[in-house]
Amino acid sequence: QVKLQESGPGLVKPSQTISLTCTVSGGSITTSGYGWSWIRQTPGKGLEWMGVIGYDGSTYYSPSLKSRTSISRDTSKNKFSLELTSVTPEDTAVYYCARGVGLYESWGQGTQVTVSP
């Protein structure tokens, strides 16, 4: 059974960068056919898909966040990461990592990130 766990700071100041890591156990992020997504949930917008990194390292981003989002991975540690730059209080959300794109087989528990001075 694949398990995912998000980690990162819970408080970020405006204009700074949110940096989160998802640690995966029970399965490899390089297993063919799988994508690994970042999704966030804000009080006003509900669930928002941010982007995905594929098993081959390819990346795709939500058009609305593409200019500020970067997803990378460390295959030696079976982790993938999210960076969201130039954040504002509107980026305050619970951030999730998940296996899949559109349909998600496994989710992390989520991590609250608050953007505040």
Side-chain angles (χ1 to χ4, degrees):
Q1 180 180 1
V2 172
K3 293 185 178 180
L4 299 93
Q5 178 67 57
E6 305 88 351
S7 60
L11 180 64
V12 178
K13 296 185 184 302
S15 81
Q16 293 186 343
T17 297
I18 291 173
S19 297
L20 300 174
T21 295
C22 182
T23 302
V24 178
S25 60
S28 173
I29 63 173
T30 61
T31 298
S32 180
Y34 287 108
W36 303 87
S37 290
W38 284 99
I39 303 145
R40 67 182 182 179
Q41 184 167 28
T42 58
K45 295 184 179 180
L47 286 174
E48 180 181 21
W49 177 77
M50 302 181 69
V52 62
I53 186 163
Y55 68 94
D56 59 354
S58 58
T59 54
Y60 301 91
Y61 302 108
S62 166
S64 65
L65 296 170
K66 185 176 181 179
S67 64
R68 300 194 292 131
T69 305
S70 177
I71 299 175
S72 60
R73 67 180 184 171
D74 184 339
T75 56
S76 68
K77 297 181 179 179
N78 214 37
K79 297 179 178 181
F80 63 105
S81 298
L82 169 75
E83 287 196 342
L84 181 67
T85 63
S86 304
V87 298
T88 71
E90 291 187 347
D91 293 309
T92 294
V94 178
Y95 286 77
Y96 298 91
C97 57
R99 185 170 80 170
V101 184
L103 294 177
Y104 304 103
E105 301 173 15
S106 301
W107 292 73
Q109 65 181 20
T111 187
Q112 172 71 46
V113 179
T114 300
V115 180
S116 181

